Amino acid sequence: MKAALRLTFLIGFIGLTNISIAQEVEWMTFEEAVEASEKEPRKLLIDLYTDWCGWGKKMDRDAYANPVIAEYINENYYPVKFNAEQKGDVDFQGKTFKFVPQGNRGYHELAAALANGKMSYPTTVFLDEELNMIQPIPGYMTAKNIEPILYYFGDGSYKNKVPWPQYQKNFKSNL
């Protein structure tokens, strides 16, 4: 009887523990996301960051760590963390993007291309299912700020030419 009671308690405890585990963004490398999108087309969300940027780390905690945001990103995008100062080459769309040393640091050519040459961190970049640019959005965002943007691009409202102010006005938050 005691063994059965312990087993029931243990199963219940494990069930409660699993419920409380927060959803996390399942970050990929840029190359992994491109490969996945070629097999099963999906939009890309690219978080351009640097190791030294405090606002990028704050956005990780305030936006990407939110379970509602993480779940939506994982279901609707291939999420990419891309260090804008990484040294390794990246081949994309027939071009090899490289690190460019500059001053004390430097930048990666792919990060510059994705941010339309406006290097500020963090920058969130959205690519469509064919890996074409939708839009880069520079700056720190909270979960509340990024949520309607994720849905606007994720549900295709931008393709339907729904004006952003109208979409934002009618958006119902899930937070």
Side-chain angles (χ1 to χ4, degrees):
M1 180 68 173
K2 286 183 179 180
L5 188 58
R6 284 187 198 139
L7 182 60
T8 303
F9 175 77
L10 182 60
I11 291 170
F13 180 75
I14 290 170
L16 289 174
T17 303
N18 287 338
I19 291 170
S20 65
I21 294 175
Q23 176 83 27
E24 293 181 3
V25 176
E26 297 167 9
W27 297 108
M28 309 169 91
T29 66
F30 185 78
E31 295 86 351
E32 290 169 340
V34 168
E35 185 179 325
S37 188
E38 288 170 354
K39 292 177 184 170
E40 182 184 326
R42 192 185 296 182
K43 294 173 187 73
L44 270 64
L45 176 150
I46 304 166
D47 176 32
L48 293 180
Y49 75 97
T50 62
D51 291 333
W52 52 263
C53 178
W55 288 107
K57 291 173 174 67
K58 185 168 173 48
M59 190 166 164
D60 285 343
R61 290 187 308 268
D62 296 346
Y64 296 130
N66 181 292
V68 172
I69 298 300
E71 181 178 9
Y72 189 83
I73 289 172
N74 290 336
E75 289 177 2
N76 294 279
Y77 295 92
Y78 290 120
V80 173
K81 276 274 194 203
F82 192 87
N83 185 338
E85 296 176 341
Q86 77 175 32
K87 304 281 193 279
D89 294 353
V90 175
D91 294 317
F92 179 57
Q93 296 183 332
K95 182 176 183 337
T96 300
F97 295 87
K98 299 178 176 287
F99 176 77
V100 177
Q102 188 178 57
N104 291 336
R105 292 190 179 101
Y107 65 92
H108 199 280
E109 292 173 324
L110 182 57
L114 291 169
N116 291 330
K118 297 180 178 138
M119 306 299 286
S120 68
Y121 311 109
T123 292
T124 307
V125 180
F126 295 89
L127 302 183
D128 69 14
E129 295 85 350
E130 288 80 41
L131 305 175
N132 298 310
M133 177 69 69
I134 299 174
Q135 185 172 340
I137 301 175
Y140 162 81
M141 291 181 275
T142 64
K144 185 176 179 177
N145 299 137
I146 199 171
E147 183 190 25
I149 297 167
L150 293 171
Y151 280 77
Y152 184 69
F153 294 133
D155 71 15
S157 291
Y158 76 100
K159 288 182 188 177
N160 300 328
K161 308 228 185 286
V162 176
W164 171 245
Q166 177 186 339
Y167 186 87
Q168 195 174 22
K169 180 181 171 189
N170 295 327
F171 181 75
K172 304 288 187 237
S173 177
N174 294 300
L175 297 177

